[in-house]
């Protein structure tokens, strides 16, 4: 049987007993140790008591102990309730003979709280700022104190109380609620007191009451309880008309509130400024109002401006006055509505010269395209606002890009000066803009103004459709192929597209347009058209039937070789045209050199020398001299002539014979045109070099003379070194020209088909900058070659240079 000295019931769980009847008073004064209680067991054998847990071998250690033989529990020291409100322990009874556990009990020791902790404020000092205009009954600040004693007991229940207020004023009374919220009754007045210091006490309700205090400092922010007052003005109050940015007046204002708070700073407003001509801003240093003109004034419209200036603070005005104080509830107070300060002012407008103006600065008119010159267009009229002193006005054209109009300088009437072209680059979307300027002539400096005349030009059908490209290409094939053709007309609708396309002339059968109507159509090639360059005559008509005949060059080519034969042609034209021109130039120069070698002379041409013993040879005169300034290369005229039946030759120029084939070639190349030839690239002006070039050229081609000459190509007499004639057989000349013509024909076959061209050779070498140079032999001429000439050359020498004696 277990006996416990406790009034609490015992509970058994399996073999464990829970004993919770022991209590310890917090902060028990002692003396220690003292008996807390005793545990007894009814056993026939001897048991040993043991105790473990909090207060024994766990924190707080050393508080409790148990006698192992008697089971008496003793308390050895104080326990703090705020640290340990209950101690949980385990009691064991063991058989002393074998130490086996006989009984095991759970035991709780409760710590009884006493009022040993006073309330503590979270902060020792509370510092807040309150606006002077705060309304009574409103929350100012809240305080809070905490008691560590047992919650819900009188020891931890706190009461708040205001114990003192410094300074004490009649207009304010502070109070604190049970929650710790502090409020006030009455009205704050910054000028009476700008700071309050309040002492608040917190006290618990224990048997022995404990308490603490905190300090609350309330600082007042000056409120706007004083209105600003306008005290005066400075400035002339005069404004020149037509100007802005000036400040004719300054408004002076005072305010007794604390500066520079929002209660002291002021803002101004203007009444009576219906036109929005003025603005007023505040000087931040002085609170003065500065009146400024932001929109020009007009003397003729209103010579005086009467305004009213109002002033108020940035912060709203408030008024508070205590009327009655009551013990319970809030006090009775009185508030007054604000009445802002104001001042009436007068601004005088000073007259000035105003520029004239157009009542209708932008005007739109309609004028017919290609109309009559001198036709009336419109009239602009300017107005002089200076009614008291009118000025003489004069009109002029300020902007007229095409120069189509004129204006009467007195009346402002606008007339057409030149015919109008709607398709001009100066016309935008059918509209042409003219600016008219009006000037006051009797004023210095003269005042001006402008008016804009937007002239819409009515379109006329004065343009014809035009091909956008006059050269196109089409692929050569056995089937029908096509290419796109596009036309445009500068005229507008209905005088432009879509257009009607038609082919006229010789090529009408092989080419058609499908469709034949539109801005862009397809040109179809018949399958029978072969590769070549064709010139088609195309008739293009606009919607009104106005048409234009144009040449369209169409290149039909094999697209398998070149996908764009026009590109190929252009390349050949750019690169090959130089080669072709160079080829023709070389051929003509060779022909000219042969002919000039017979006719070149620096003097009057001598009669043709009759030569004996030379059969069927053509005599070519050569008058090339030593280098000098008077040796000129004559111009060769190649013309058609009749061909001799006997020797198949013809005479050109000074009786020089030329074969019929040469005549035919010259006719093919240049027809009946004169062709000046520059021979500087073939020989120098030295006659000996001219001889050398001719001789070398014939020798290189393998031509030989009759057998009575020496081993060189042409036998010459030494006495005829400076002047003489050359003998060329007809067959030799014909063979030479045939070879040259064959070379020209071969080069032409290498090129595409081109229309015949006329080429003129001029003295300006810059025209041939893109041609390749002609590579000609430049072998030096050996004068010894002329040391042994025939008798014919000796006779020629006596004719070309009288006084020279022929020597055998």
């Amino acid at each position: 049987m277990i006996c416990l000295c406790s009034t609490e019931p015992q509970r058994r769980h399996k073999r464990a007993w829970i004993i919770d009847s022991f209590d310890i008073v917090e902060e028990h004064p002692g003396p220690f140790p003292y008996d807390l209680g005793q545990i007894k067991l009814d056993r026939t054998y001897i048991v040993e008591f043991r105790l473990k847990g909090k207060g024994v071998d766990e924190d707080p250690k050393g508080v409790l102990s148990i006698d192992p033989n008697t089971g008496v529990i003793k308390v050895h020291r104080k326990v703090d309730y705020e640290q340990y409100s209950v101690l949980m322990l385990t009691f064991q009874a063991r058989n002393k003979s074998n130490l086996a556990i006989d009984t095991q009990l759970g035991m709780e020791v409760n710590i009884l709280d006493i009022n040993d902790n006073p309330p503590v404020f979270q902060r020792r000092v509370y510092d807040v700022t309150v606006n002077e205009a705060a309304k009574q009954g409103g929350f100012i600040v809240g305080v809070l104190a905490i008691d560590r004693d047992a919650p819900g007991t009188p020891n931890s229940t706190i009461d708040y109380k205001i114990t003192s207020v410094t300074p004490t004023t009649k207009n304010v009374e502070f109070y604190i609620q049970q929650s710790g919220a502090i409020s006030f009754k009455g009205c704050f007045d910054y000028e009476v007191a700008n700071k309050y210091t309040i002492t608040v006490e917190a006290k618990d309700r224990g048997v022995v009451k404990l308490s603490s205090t905190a300090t609350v400092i309330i600082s007042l922010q000056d409120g706007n309880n004083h209105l600003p007052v306008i005290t005066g003005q400075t400035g002339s109050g005069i404004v020149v008309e037509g100007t802005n940015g000036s400040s004719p007046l300054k408004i002076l204002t005072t305010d007794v509130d604390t500066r520079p708070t929002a209660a002291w700073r002021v803002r101004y407003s203007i009444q009576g400024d219906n036109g929005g001509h003025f603005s007023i801003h505040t000087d931040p240093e002085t609170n003065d109002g500065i009146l400024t003109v932001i929109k020009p004034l007009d003397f003729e419209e209103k010579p005086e401006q009467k305004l009213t200036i109002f002033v108020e603070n940035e912060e709203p005005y408030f008024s508070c006055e205590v009327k009655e104080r009551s013990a319970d509830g809030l006090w009775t107070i009185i508030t007054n509505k604000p009445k802002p300060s104001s001042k009436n002012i007068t601004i005088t407008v000073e007259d000035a010269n105003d520029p004239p103006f157009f009542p209708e600065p932008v005007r739109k008119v309609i004028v017919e395209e290609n109309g009559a010159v001198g036709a009336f267009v419109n009239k602009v009229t300017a107005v002089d606002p200076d009614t008291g002193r009118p000025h003489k006005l004069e009109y002029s054209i300020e902007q007229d890009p095409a120069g189509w109009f004129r204006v009467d300088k007195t009346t402002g009437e606008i007339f057409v000066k030149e015919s109008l072209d709607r398709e001009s680059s100066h016309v935008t979307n059918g509209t042409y803009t003219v600016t008219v300027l009006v000037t006051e002539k009797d004023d210095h400096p003269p005042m001006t103004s402008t008016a804009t005349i937007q002239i819409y030009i009515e379109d006329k059908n004065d343009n014809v459709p035009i091909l956008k490209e006059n050269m196109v290409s089409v692929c050569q094939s056995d089937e029908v192929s096509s290419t796109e053709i596009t036309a445009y007309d500068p005229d507008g609708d209905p005088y432009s597209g879509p257009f009607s396309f038609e082919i006229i002339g010789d090529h009408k059968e092989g080419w058609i347009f499908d469709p034949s109507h539109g801005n862009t159509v397809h040109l179809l090639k018949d399958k029978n058209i072969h590769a070549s360059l064709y010139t088609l005559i195309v008739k293009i008509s606009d919607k009104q039937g106005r048409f234009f005949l144009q040449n369209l060059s169409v290149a039909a080519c094999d697209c398998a070789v070149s996908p764009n034969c026009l590109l190929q042609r252009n390349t050949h034209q750019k690169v090959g045209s130089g080669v072709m021109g160079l080829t023709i130039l070389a051929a003509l120069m060779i022909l000219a050199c042969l002919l000039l070698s017979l006719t070149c002379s620096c003097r009057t041409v001598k009669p043709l020398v009759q030569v004996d013993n030379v059969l069927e040879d053509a005599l070519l005169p050569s008058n090339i001299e030593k280098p000098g300034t008077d040796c000129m290369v004559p111009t060769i005229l190649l013309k058609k002539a009749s061909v001799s039946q006997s020797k198949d030759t013809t005479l050109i120029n000074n009786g020089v014979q030329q074969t019929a084939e040469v005549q035919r070639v010259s006719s093919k190349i240049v027809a009946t045109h004169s062709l000046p030839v520059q021979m500087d690239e073939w020989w120098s002006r030295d006659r000996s070099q001219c001889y050398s070039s001719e001789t070398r050229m014939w020798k290189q081609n393998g031509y030989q003379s009759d057998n009575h000459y020496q081993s060189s190509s042409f036998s010459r007499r030494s006495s005829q070194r400076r002047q003489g004639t050359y003998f060329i057989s007809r067959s030799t000349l014909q063979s030479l020209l045939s070879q040259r013509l064959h070379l020209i024909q071969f080069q032409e076959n290498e090129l595409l088909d081109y229309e015949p061209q006329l080429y003129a050779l001029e003295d300006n070498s810059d025209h041939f900058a893109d041609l390749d140079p002609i590579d000609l032999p430049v072998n030096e001429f050996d004068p010894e070659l002329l040391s042994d000439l025939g008798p014919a050359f000796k006779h020629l020498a006596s004719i070309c240079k009288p006084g020279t004696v022929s020597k055998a």
Side-chain angles (χ1 to χ4, degrees):
M1 179 179 228
I2 301 175
C3 181
L4 299 174
C5 296
S6 174
T7 60
E8 293 295 329
Q10 299 176 2
R11 295 186 298 271
R12 180 179 178 86
H13 180 69
K14 293 184 180 180
R15 293 183 57 85
W17 292 79
I18 299 175
I19 305 173
D20 56 355
S21 60
F22 298 105
D23 295 322
I24 297 177
V25 177
E26 177 190 18
E27 299 295 333
H28 190 283
F32 299 101
Y34 65 86
D35 294 341
L36 180 62
Q38 182 180 12
I39 300 176
K40 296 179 179 181
L41 292 178
D42 186 10
R43 295 288 185 268
T44 59
Y45 51 85
I46 299 174
V47 296
E48 181 182 58
F49 299 98
R50 292 184 181 183
L51 191 65
K52 62 180 180 179
K54 288 185 177 182
V56 179
D57 55 357
E58 295 179 15
D59 291 335
K61 297 178 181 180
V63 175
L64 300 174
S65 67
I66 189 171
D67 188 301
N69 298 317
T70 63
V72 176
I73 300 174
K74 292 184 178 183
V75 178
H76 296 273
R77 64 182 183 88
K78 297 179 180 180
V79 179
D80 188 358
Y81 171 84
E82 285 68 35
Q83 289 185 343
Y84 305 97
S85 60
V86 62
L87 301 178
M88 303 295 296
L89 300 105
T90 301
F91 165 77
Q92 290 181 349
R94 293 176 179 268
N95 190 334
K96 196 169 184 179
S97 62
N98 55 13
L99 297 181
I101 298 177
D102 177 79
T103 302
Q104 181 168 307
L105 303 174
M107 187 177 72
E108 294 180 357
V109 177
N110 295 316
I111 309 301
L112 300 179
D113 184 33
I114 63 171
N115 190 15
D116 59 343
N117 292 285
V120 177
F121 285 96
Q122 288 184 327
R123 295 160 58 184
R124 297 297 301 273
V125 178
Y126 293 82
D127 196 344
V128 296
T129 300
V130 180
N131 192 286
E132 181 185 10
K135 295 182 179 180
Q136 66 170 346
F139 174 81
I140 296 178
V141 65
V143 296
L144 178 62
I146 298 175
D147 195 318
R148 296 178 60 191
D149 290 325
T153 64
N155 295 337
S156 61
T157 302
I158 300 173
D159 296 320
Y160 296 100
K161 178 182 177 182
I162 294 177
T163 58
S164 66
V165 176
T166 305
T168 301
T169 58
K170 295 181 179 180
N171 59 309
V172 174
E173 180 180 298
F174 294 96
Y175 63 93
I176 188 169
Q177 301 176 8
Q178 184 60 35
S179 61
I182 298 177
S183 299
F184 77 100
K185 302 176 183 179
C187 302
F188 285 125
D189 190 341
Y190 182 85
E191 285 71 26
V192 174
N194 57 17
K195 184 171 70 172
Y196 292 91
T197 302
I198 302 173
T199 302
V200 179
E201 179 187 63
K203 182 183 293 186
D204 62 27
R205 298 179 183 179
V207 176
V208 178
K209 295 178 173 56
L210 302 177
S211 65
S212 62
T213 60
T215 302
V216 178
I217 299 176
I218 299 176
S219 299
L220 294 184
Q221 182 181 8
D222 191 13
N224 185 22
N225 58 344
H226 299 90
L227 290 173
V229 178
I230 296 176
T231 59
Q233 68 181 49
T234 60
S236 64
I238 299 175
V239 177
V240 179
E241 72 165 330
T243 63
N244 57 10
S246 61
S247 299
L249 279 182
K250 179 183 288 188
I251 306 299
L252 307 180
T253 302
T254 60
D255 193 319
V256 298
D257 289 318
T258 304
R259 58 184 305 172
T261 62
W264 175 83
R265 294 191 298 267
V266 299
R267 54 192 175 197
Y268 296 87
S269 59
I270 304 173
Q271 183 176 328
D273 182 20
N274 298 325
H277 297 281
F278 301 93
S279 70
I280 187 168
H281 67 277
T282 306
D283 185 336
E285 299 295 330
T286 63
N287 251 0
D288 295 337
I290 301 174
L291 185 69
T292 304
V293 180
I294 59 174
K295 182 179 179 181
L297 295 160
D298 188 354
F299 173 83
E300 287 72 25
E301 181 180 345
K302 197 173 184 180
E304 283 188 349
Q305 294 280 342
K306 294 186 179 297
L307 308 174
T308 301
I309 307 298
F310 291 89
V311 62
E312 61 181 356
N313 292 115
E314 292 182 1
E315 182 178 313
Y317 171 79
F318 84 95
S319 174
C320 182
E321 181 180 351
V322 177
K323 182 178 181 181
E324 183 180 353
R325 298 171 177 83
S326 59
D328 299 328
L330 300 177
W331 296 352
T332 303
I333 61 175
I334 300 174
T335 58
N336 300 317
K337 294 183 178 180
K339 185 178 181 180
S341 177
S342 63
K343 184 174 181 60
N344 297 324
I345 61 174
T346 300
I347 301 298
T348 302
V349 182
E350 188 177 84
D351 190 18
N353 184 25
D354 296 314
F357 68 94
F358 289 94
E360 191 177 356
V362 179
R363 181 172 296 185
K364 297 181 179 181
V365 297
I366 300 176
V367 179
E368 188 179 70
E369 183 182 18
N370 301 323
V373 175
F376 174 78
V377 176
N378 206 279
K379 180 179 180 180
V380 292
T381 303
V383 177
D384 187 355
D386 295 321
T387 56
R389 43 175 185 174
H391 300 82
K392 180 181 179 181
L393 303 181
E394 184 175 289
Y395 301 92
S396 61
I397 297 291
E398 182 184 52
Q399 183 179 4
D400 181 11
W404 290 339
F405 299 92
R406 66 178 179 85
V407 63
D408 188 294
K409 67 178 182 179
T410 304
T411 63
E413 295 177 333
I414 303 173
F415 301 93
V416 176
K417 185 172 68 174
E418 294 185 8
S419 180
L420 278 64
D421 183 8
R422 188 178 184 274
E423 290 70 42
S424 170
S425 60
H426 301 293
V427 179
T428 303
N429 296 328
T431 302
Y432 182 78
T433 302
V434 176
T435 304
V436 178
L437 178 73
V438 62
T439 306
E440 291 182 351
K441 299 301 295 183
D442 54 353
D443 195 12
H444 298 284
M447 307 296 286
T448 63
S449 184
T450 59
T452 301
I453 313 299
Q454 296 179 349
I455 302 173
Y456 179 78
I457 303 176
E458 286 187 336
D459 193 19
K460 295 296 181 181
N461 195 9
D462 57 344
N463 292 279
V464 294
I466 302 174
L467 288 172
K468 191 172 183 180
E469 294 182 357
N470 58 5
M471 180 174 286
V472 295
S473 65
V474 64
C475 291
Q476 171 62 27
S477 65
D478 295 336
E479 303 296 331
V480 176
S481 57
S482 65
T483 185
E484 285 190 350
I485 304 298
T486 302
Y488 70 96
D489 191 331
D491 292 326
D493 190 71
Y495 305 114
S496 59
F499 310 106
S500 296
F501 294 80
E502 182 183 358
I503 297 176
I504 63 175
D506 298 339
H507 299 290
K508 186 174 183 180
E509 300 300 327
W511 304 84
I512 61 172
F513 288 107
D514 186 19
S516 62
H517 189 72
N519 293 321
T520 299
V521 297
H522 287 86
L523 176 64
L524 274 64
K525 177 189 71 65
D526 190 81
K527 61 183 179 179
N528 297 323
I529 298 297
H530 61 276
S532 182
L533 180 65
Y534 298 88
T535 300
L536 309 181
I537 300 176
V538 180
K539 178 182 177 182
I540 309 175
S541 306
D542 60 21
K543 293 170 68 174
Q544 304 301 322
R546 187 168 185 177
F547 66 89
F548 184 56
L549 300 181
Q550 302 174 66
N551 289 336
L552 174 63
S553 297
V554 183
C557 60
D558 187 359
C559 293
V561 177
S562 174
N564 191 340
C565 52
L566 277 181
L567 179 60
Q568 182 183 15
R569 289 182 59 85
N570 291 337
T571 305
H572 281 282
Q573 286 177 352
K574 184 175 181 181
V575 179
S577 61
V579 177
M580 184 176 182
L582 184 62
T583 304
I584 297 175
L585 174 64
L588 293 176
M589 292 179 68
I590 293 173
L591 179 61
C593 183
L594 294 176
L595 296 177
L596 285 177
S597 66
L598 304 178
T599 60
C600 179
S601 174
C602 295
R603 301 180 182 88
T604 305
V605 178
K606 305 301 188 298
L608 188 64
V609 179
Q610 300 296 327
V611 182
D612 299 330
N613 302 325
V614 179
L615 300 177
E616 297 182 356
D617 288 334
L619 182 63
L620 301 178
S622 175
N623 297 329
I624 298 176
E625 301 179 342
K626 276 280 187 177
T629 60
D630 58 345
C631 184
M632 303 297 294
V633 179
T635 301
I636 303 174
L637 300 178
L638 304 179
K639 300 181 179 179
K640 292 183 178 180
S642 61
V643 181
S644 175
Q645 297 293 331
S646 60
K647 292 186 179 182
D648 197 21
T649 62
T650 182
L651 295 176
I652 62 174
N653 290 348
N654 296 318
V656 179
Q657 293 181 345
Q658 183 183 22
T659 65
E661 184 171 347
V662 174
Q663 188 274 336
R664 287 194 301 272
V665 173
S666 64
S667 298
K668 179 180 179 182
I669 297 176
V670 295
T672 60
H673 296 281
S674 298
L675 182 61
V677 181
Q678 180 69 36
M679 305 302 293
D680 291 343
E681 296 187 16
W682 282 86
W683 64 77
S684 68
R685 299 177 66 177
D686 191 333
R687 177 184 285 110
S688 63
Q689 294 177 359
C690 185
Y691 290 156
S692 172
S693 300
E694 294 173 3
T695 304
R696 181 171 60 253
M697 181 176 61
W698 287 322
K699 290 177 66 177
Q700 290 174 351
N701 286 277
Y703 301 128
Q704 302 295 331
S705 61
D706 294 336
N707 55 11
H708 67 272
Y709 290 103
Q710 295 182 1
S711 59
S712 61
S713 298
F714 300 95
S715 299
R716 303 169 179 83
R717 294 292 182 181
S718 61
S719 61
Q720 295 175 319
R721 294 176 62 184
R722 295 183 57 83
Q723 181 170 310
T725 57
Y726 286 65
F727 289 85
I728 309 173
S729 65
R730 183 176 59 193
S731 59
T732 300
L733 181 60
Q734 184 173 353
S735 175
L736 175 62
L737 293 178
S738 297
Q739 180 180 0
R740 295 298 181 186
L741 291 174
H742 176 73
L743 176 61
I744 294 174
Q745 185 63 36
F746 175 78
Q747 293 176 343
E748 288 182 343
N749 292 336
E750 292 293 317
L751 302 174
L752 295 175
D753 294 334
Y754 291 89
E755 292 293 331
Q757 301 287 337
L758 298 180
Y759 296 87
L761 306 180
E762 299 177 354
D763 291 340
N764 188 0
S765 60
D766 294 340
H767 293 177
F768 305 98
D770 59 341
L771 299 180
D772 296 329
I774 303 176
D775 188 12
L776 298 176
V778 291
N779 297 335
E780 296 294 334
F781 173 70
D782 185 7
E784 293 300 323
L785 296 177
L786 302 178
S787 62
D788 189 10
L789 301 176
F793 287 93
K794 183 181 295 185
H795 184 60
L796 283 174
S798 64
I799 295 175
C800 295
K801 189 174 182 181
T804 304
V805 180
S806 302
K807 296 181 181 181

